[in-house]
Amino acid sequence: MSDAVAAPVLTIDGPSGSGKGTISRAVAAHLGWHYLDSGALYRAVGVAAGWNDIDLADPAALVRCTFDTRVGFRDAPGGEPRVLINDVDATDELRTETAGAAASAIAAIPEVRAALKERQRAFRQAPGLVADGRDMGTVIFPDARWKVFLTASAEERAERRYKQLMDKGVSVTLAGLLREILARDARDANRPVAPLRPAEDAVRIDTTGMGIDDVVARVLALIDG
Ligand code: DC
Protein backbone atom coordinates (compact mmCIF):
# COMPACT_ATOMS: atom_id res chain seq x y z
CA MET A 1 0.00 0.00 0.00
CA SER A 2 1.59 3.34 -0.97
CA ASP A 3 1.48 6.27 1.41
CA ALA A 4 -0.84 8.15 -0.92
CA VAL A 5 -3.59 5.61 -0.36
CA ALA A 6 -2.67 4.38 3.12
CA ALA A 7 -5.41 4.86 5.70
CA PRO A 8 -5.05 8.09 7.71
CA VAL A 9 -3.46 7.84 11.14
CA LEU A 10 -3.80 10.02 14.23
CA THR A 11 -1.12 9.29 16.84
CA ILE A 12 -1.66 10.08 20.50
CA ASP A 13 1.48 9.68 22.59
CA GLY A 14 2.29 10.63 26.14
CA PRO A 15 3.31 9.37 29.58
CA SER A 16 1.21 6.98 31.65
CA GLY A 17 -1.84 8.59 33.19
CA SER A 18 -1.95 11.44 30.65
CA GLY A 19 -5.39 10.19 29.57
CA LYS A 20 -4.19 8.74 26.26
CA GLY A 21 -6.31 5.59 26.46
CA THR A 22 -9.57 7.29 27.36
CA ILE A 23 -9.07 10.11 24.86
CA SER A 24 -7.91 7.82 22.04
CA ARG A 25 -10.85 5.45 22.46
CA ALA A 26 -13.33 8.34 22.52
CA VAL A 27 -11.82 9.94 19.42
CA ALA A 28 -11.72 6.59 17.57
CA ALA A 29 -15.36 5.90 18.48
CA HIS A 30 -16.38 9.39 17.33
CA LEU A 31 -14.62 8.98 13.99
CA GLY A 32 -15.57 5.31 13.54
CA TRP A 33 -11.86 4.47 13.19
CA HIS A 34 -9.77 1.56 14.44
CA TYR A 35 -7.93 1.89 17.72
CA LEU A 36 -4.46 0.58 18.61
CA ASP A 37 -3.56 0.33 22.30
CA SER A 38 0.16 -0.31 21.80
CA GLY A 39 0.83 -0.36 25.55
CA ALA A 40 -1.41 -3.44 25.77
CA LEU A 41 1.02 -5.32 23.51
CA TYR A 42 3.95 -4.57 25.84
CA ARG A 43 1.82 -5.35 28.90
CA ALA A 44 0.69 -8.64 27.31
CA VAL A 45 4.30 -9.74 26.87
CA GLY A 46 4.92 -8.79 30.51
CA VAL A 47 1.94 -10.84 31.69
CA ALA A 48 2.89 -13.80 29.48
CA ALA A 49 6.45 -13.64 30.84
CA GLY A 50 5.00 -13.87 34.36
CA TRP A 51 2.83 -16.86 33.40
CA ASN A 52 5.92 -18.61 32.05
CA ASP A 53 8.23 -17.69 34.96
CA ILE A 54 10.53 -15.78 32.63
CA ASP A 55 13.09 -13.59 34.36
CA LEU A 56 12.64 -9.91 33.42
CA ALA A 57 16.44 -9.67 33.38
CA ASP A 58 16.72 -12.30 30.59
CA PRO A 59 16.33 -10.40 27.29
CA ALA A 60 16.74 -13.46 25.03
CA ALA A 61 13.91 -15.30 26.81
CA LEU A 62 11.74 -12.18 26.66
CA VAL A 63 12.30 -11.84 22.93
CA ARG A 64 11.25 -15.50 22.47
CA CYS A 65 8.23 -14.83 24.66
CA THR A 66 7.29 -11.85 22.44
CA PHE A 67 7.24 -14.07 19.35
CA ASP A 68 5.28 -16.78 21.20
CA THR A 69 2.62 -14.43 22.56
CA ARG A 70 -0.48 -13.86 20.47
CA VAL A 71 -2.46 -10.79 21.49
CA GLY A 72 -6.07 -10.28 20.43
CA PHE A 73 -8.52 -7.46 21.09
CA ARG A 74 -12.27 -7.92 21.41
CA ASP A 75 -14.62 -4.95 21.50
CA ALA A 76 -16.67 -4.63 24.67
CA PRO A 77 -19.58 -2.26 24.01
CA GLY A 78 -19.46 0.72 26.35
CA GLY A 79 -16.19 -0.33 27.99
CA GLU A 80 -12.52 -0.92 27.40
CA PRO A 81 -11.79 -3.57 24.75
CA ARG A 82 -10.97 -6.98 26.22
CA VAL A 83 -7.42 -8.17 25.65
CA LEU A 84 -6.75 -11.85 24.96
CA ILE A 85 -3.32 -13.40 25.47
CA ASN A 86 -3.05 -16.67 23.53
CA ASP A 87 -6.89 -16.70 23.57
CA VAL A 88 -7.17 -16.21 27.35
CA ASP A 89 -8.93 -13.03 28.54
CA ALA A 90 -6.22 -11.27 30.57
CA THR A 91 -7.70 -7.75 30.60
CA ASP A 92 -7.78 -7.33 34.37
CA GLU A 93 -4.28 -8.68 34.95
CA LEU A 94 -3.00 -6.47 32.14
CA ARG A 95 -4.10 -3.31 33.95
CA THR A 96 -2.23 -4.01 37.21
CA GLU A 97 0.77 -1.92 38.22
CA THR A 98 2.85 -5.11 38.15
CA ALA A 99 2.03 -5.63 34.48
CA GLY A 100 2.78 -1.94 33.76
CA ALA A 101 6.17 -2.15 35.45
CA ALA A 102 7.00 -5.40 33.60
CA ALA A 103 5.93 -3.79 30.31
CA SER A 104 8.14 -0.78 30.94
CA ALA A 105 11.17 -3.03 31.58
CA ILE A 106 10.43 -5.18 28.51
CA ALA A 107 9.86 -2.12 26.34
CA ALA A 108 13.51 -1.14 26.81
CA ILE A 109 14.68 -4.22 24.84
CA PRO A 110 15.29 -3.23 21.19
CA GLU A 111 14.53 -6.71 19.79
CA VAL A 112 11.16 -6.74 21.56
CA ARG A 113 10.29 -3.35 20.05
CA ALA A 114 11.38 -4.56 16.61
CA ALA A 115 9.29 -7.73 16.95
CA LEU A 116 6.18 -5.66 17.73
CA LYS A 117 6.67 -3.07 14.98
CA GLU A 118 4.87 -4.80 12.13
CA ARG A 119 2.10 -6.02 14.43
CA GLN A 120 1.38 -2.41 15.27
CA ARG A 121 1.54 -1.20 11.67
CA ALA A 122 -0.99 -3.88 10.69
CA PHE A 123 -3.65 -1.92 12.59
CA ARG A 124 -3.51 0.79 9.93
CA GLN A 125 -6.67 0.03 8.05
CA ALA A 126 -9.47 2.00 6.41
CA PRO A 127 -11.23 4.16 7.30
CA GLY A 128 -8.47 5.28 9.71
CA LEU A 129 -6.52 4.53 12.87
CA VAL A 130 -6.07 6.21 16.23
CA ALA A 131 -2.77 4.88 17.63
CA ASP A 132 -2.06 5.33 21.34
CA GLY A 133 1.38 4.87 22.91
CA ARG A 134 4.82 6.33 23.48
CA ASP A 135 6.45 6.17 20.04
CA MET A 136 3.48 6.15 17.67
CA GLY A 137 4.35 9.51 16.11
CA THR A 138 8.13 9.10 16.26
CA VAL A 139 8.80 5.48 15.25
CA ILE A 140 5.75 3.42 14.30
CA PHE A 141 3.78 5.94 12.20
CA PRO A 142 6.23 8.79 11.47
CA ASP A 143 4.10 9.71 8.44
CA ALA A 144 0.87 10.05 10.48
CA ARG A 145 -1.28 12.92 9.29
CA TRP A 146 -1.96 14.19 12.83
CA LYS A 147 0.19 13.79 15.93
CA VAL A 148 -0.76 14.68 19.46
CA PHE A 149 1.39 14.56 22.60
CA LEU A 150 -0.66 14.58 25.79
CA THR A 151 0.85 15.57 29.12
CA ALA A 152 -0.41 16.28 32.63
CA SER A 153 1.37 16.92 35.90
CA ALA A 154 2.64 13.78 37.64
CA GLU A 155 0.45 14.57 40.65
CA GLU A 156 -2.69 14.76 38.53
CA ARG A 157 -1.79 11.58 36.68
CA ALA A 158 -1.30 9.77 39.99
CA GLU A 159 -4.68 11.04 41.20
CA ARG A 160 -6.47 9.90 38.03
CA ARG A 161 -4.90 6.46 38.33
CA TYR A 162 -5.79 6.35 42.03
CA LYS A 163 -9.46 7.04 41.28
CA GLN A 164 -9.50 4.44 38.48
CA LEU A 165 -8.02 1.77 40.75
CA MET A 166 -10.26 2.64 43.69
CA ASP A 167 -13.29 2.34 41.38
CA LYS A 168 -12.08 -1.14 40.49
CA GLY A 169 -11.69 -1.98 44.18
CA VAL A 170 -7.89 -2.18 43.97
CA SER A 171 -6.25 -0.86 47.12
CA VAL A 172 -3.21 1.38 46.56
CA THR A 173 -1.78 4.55 48.07
CA LEU A 174 -1.55 7.86 46.23
CA ALA A 175 2.06 8.34 47.33
CA GLY A 176 2.99 4.87 46.07
CA LEU A 177 1.34 5.53 42.71
CA LEU A 178 3.13 8.86 42.35
CA ARG A 179 6.46 7.14 43.03
CA GLU A 180 5.70 4.47 40.42
CA ILE A 181 4.62 7.03 37.83
CA LEU A 182 7.79 9.09 38.30
CA ALA A 183 9.97 5.96 38.10
CA ARG A 184 8.18 4.76 34.96
CA ASP A 185 8.41 8.23 33.32
CA ALA A 186 12.15 8.30 33.98
CA ARG A 187 12.65 4.79 32.58
CA ASP A 188 10.51 5.45 29.48
CA ALA A 189 12.14 8.82 28.78
CA ASN A 190 15.74 7.74 29.34
CA ARG A 191 15.90 4.41 27.53
CA PRO A 192 18.21 4.46 24.50
CA VAL A 193 15.65 2.92 22.15
CA ALA A 194 12.47 4.83 21.23
CA PRO A 195 12.49 7.04 24.36
CA LEU A 196 9.28 8.82 25.27
CA ARG A 197 9.45 12.22 23.60
CA PRO A 198 7.07 14.23 21.43
CA ALA A 199 7.51 14.02 17.66
CA GLU A 200 8.77 17.35 16.32
CA ASP A 201 5.53 17.83 14.44
CA ALA A 202 3.26 16.82 17.35
CA VAL A 203 0.71 19.18 18.87
CA ARG A 204 1.20 19.19 22.64
CA ILE A 205 -1.84 19.35 24.88
CA ASP A 206 -1.39 19.71 28.64
CA THR A 207 -4.50 18.11 30.11
CA THR A 208 -3.87 19.18 33.72
CA GLY A 209 -7.20 20.52 34.96
CA MET A 210 -9.01 19.68 31.71
CA GLY A 211 -12.04 17.38 31.49
CA ILE A 212 -12.16 14.44 29.07
CA ASP A 213 -14.73 16.08 26.78
CA ASP A 214 -12.59 19.22 26.41
CA VAL A 215 -9.53 17.22 25.44
CA VAL A 216 -11.52 15.11 22.96
CA ALA A 217 -12.92 18.30 21.41
CA ARG A 218 -9.40 19.77 21.08
CA VAL A 219 -8.16 16.65 19.31
CA LEU A 220 -11.18 16.43 17.00
CA ALA A 221 -10.73 20.10 16.13
CA LEU A 222 -7.24 19.31 14.82
CA ILE A 223 -8.69 16.75 12.44
CA ASP A 224 -11.55 18.94 11.27
CA GLY A 225 -9.36 22.00 10.99
O1 DC B 1 0.51 2.92 28.04
P1 DC B 1 0.75 1.81 29.01
O2 DC B 1 0.88 2.28 30.43
O3 DC B 1 -0.21 0.69 28.87
O4 DC B 1 2.22 1.22 28.62
C1 DC B 1 2.87 0.27 29.41
C2 DC B 1 4.37 0.34 29.18
O5 DC B 1 4.68 -0.07 27.85
C3 DC B 1 4.98 1.73 29.34
O6 DC B 1 5.62 1.89 30.58
C4 DC B 1 6.00 1.83 28.26
C5 DC B 1 5.67 0.74 27.29
N1 DC B 1 5.22 1.24 25.98
C6 DC B 1 6.19 1.60 25.07
O7 DC B 1 7.37 1.53 25.37
N2 DC B 1 5.82 1.98 23.82
C7 DC B 1 4.53 2.08 23.48
N3 DC B 1 4.20 2.45 22.25
C8 DC B 1 3.52 1.76 24.43
C9 DC B 1 3.90 1.35 25.69
Side-chain angles (χ1 to χ4, degrees), residues 101-113:
S104 174
I106 285 167
I109 303 170
E111 293 86 349
V112 168
R113 304 198 72 86

Side-chain angles (χ1 to χ4, degrees), residues 33-219:
W33 287 7
H34 300 281
Y35 166 56
L36 165 62
D37 173 3
S38 61
L41 298 177
Y42 291 94
R43 284 172 182 266
V45 177
V47 169
W51 288 352
N52 293 296
D53 286 327
I54 294 173
D55 185 348
L56 288 180
D58 182 348
L62 290 167
V63 172
R64 275 198 303 280
C65 178
T66 308
F67 283 108
D68 291 343
T69 305
R70 266 178 298 114
V71 187
F73 295 90
R74 192 192 294 141
D75 280 338
E80 283 185 36
R82 308 299 297 178
V83 184
L84 310 182
I85 300 179
N86 295 335
D87 301 321
V88 177
D89 188 329
T91 316
D92 297 336
E93 196 174 342
L94 215 73
R95 293 297 151 214
T96 60
E97 292 307 305
T98 311
S104 174
I106 285 167
I109 303 170
E111 293 86 349
V112 168
R113 304 198 72 86
L116 293 177
K117 210 176 214 179
E118 287 314 314
R119 284 201 218 175
Q120 294 174 82
R121 290 188 174 153
F123 280 78
R124 182 178 202 164
Q125 285 177 21
L129 173 68
V130 179
D132 147 3
R134 303 289 193 291
D135 61 343
M136 298 295 99
T138 49
V139 176
I140 305 297
F141 301 109
D143 62 333
R145 202 178 294 177
W146 306 277
K147 298 180 185 179
V148 169
F149 194 84
L150 291 185
T151 56
S153 70
E155 290 72 18
E156 177 147 338
R157 289 186 283 130
E159 258 166 50
R160 289 176 187 167
R161 188 81 188 116
Y162 182 73
K163 281 190 198 129
Q164 260 176 4
L165 291 173
M166 293 303 270
D167 285 349
K168 286 185 186 162
V170 182
S171 133
V172 282
T173 67
L174 190 55
L177 278 178
L178 181 58
R179 259 197 315 276
E180 277 169 29
I181 281 187
L182 290 172
R184 184 122 62 97
D185 280 0
R187 209 163 37 223
D188 291 346
N190 294 321
R191 66 180 174 221
V193 54
L196 172 66
R197 62 174 174 78
E200 274 172 21
D201 47 350
V203 174
R204 295 179 195 220
I205 303 176
D206 183 345
T207 68
T208 309
M210 279 176 86
I212 293 169
D213 292 348
D214 295 335
V215 183
V216 170
R218 281 275 298 275
V219 174

